[in-house]
Amino acid sequence: HVQLVESGGGSVEAGGSLRLSCATSSVVFSDNCFAWFRQAPEQEREGVAGLDMDGATDYADSVKGRFTISRDYVENTLILEMDSLKPEDTAMYYCAADLTPHAASTVTIKGSSRLFRIWGQGTQVTV
């Protein structure tokens, strides 16, 4: 049973920062592409940041220049650094993974969440 475990969410004032983490096993970490999605109440799940197998990254336009996705190979953890947070960033944030080598830009496509088969339980971010 593959597990993704998110942490790091919380409440922060506008302009503040948060660091989300997504922990998994070393096997999952090395063999999958990853992404962060978010979902606000009564809204569709949307892609925020993607990281492909070669290390390329891409971001939704709404977060470019403010969010950074990265891997911590020592801790087998996916990271999302979020700076200059805005009230519209308020949502449940989910870590996702898939064995298919999706391009990082996949997260910018509407409905791309259906392409990722492994999901964490989510962590709430409130700005």
Side-chain angles (χ1 to χ4, degrees):
H1 178 66
V2 176
Q3 280 194 311
L4 300 175
V5 181
E6 300 101 330
S7 61
S11 294
V12 64
E13 293 187 354
S17 299
L18 282 174
R19 184 176 190 262
L20 304 186
S21 298
C22 173
T24 186
S25 68
S26 60
V27 171
V28 173
F29 199 64
S30 63
D31 293 345
N32 285 265
C33 60
F34 287 89
W36 286 97
F37 288 82
R38 67 185 180 188
Q39 188 167 18
E42 300 182 2
Q43 294 190 20
E44 293 184 3
R45 189 167 296 188
E46 64 172 354
V48 174
L51 176 64
D52 71 14
M53 298 290 289
D54 296 324
T57 60
D58 205 353
Y59 301 88
D61 287 342
S62 58
V63 307
K64 277 183 180 176
R66 301 188 297 122
F67 289 14
T68 304
I69 187 172
S70 63
R71 293 177 189 248
D72 181 336
Y73 285 95
V74 175
E75 300 292 334
N76 294 325
T77 299
L78 183 73
I79 305 295
L80 184 67
E81 300 275 4
M82 305 186 295
D83 298 318
S84 303
L85 282 161
K86 305 175 181 180
E88 51 264 43
D89 294 319
T90 296
M92 184 72 79
Y93 282 71
Y94 297 91
C95 173
D98 200 76
L99 279 171
T100 301
H102 302 301
S105 60
T106 300
V107 295
T108 64
I109 301 171
K110 187 177 182 180
S112 62
S113 61
R114 62 181 173 82
L115 300 176
F116 290 81
R117 286 168 283 185
I118 307 169
W119 291 85
Q121 81 287 352
T123 185
Q124 178 67 36
V125 171
T126 302
V127 183

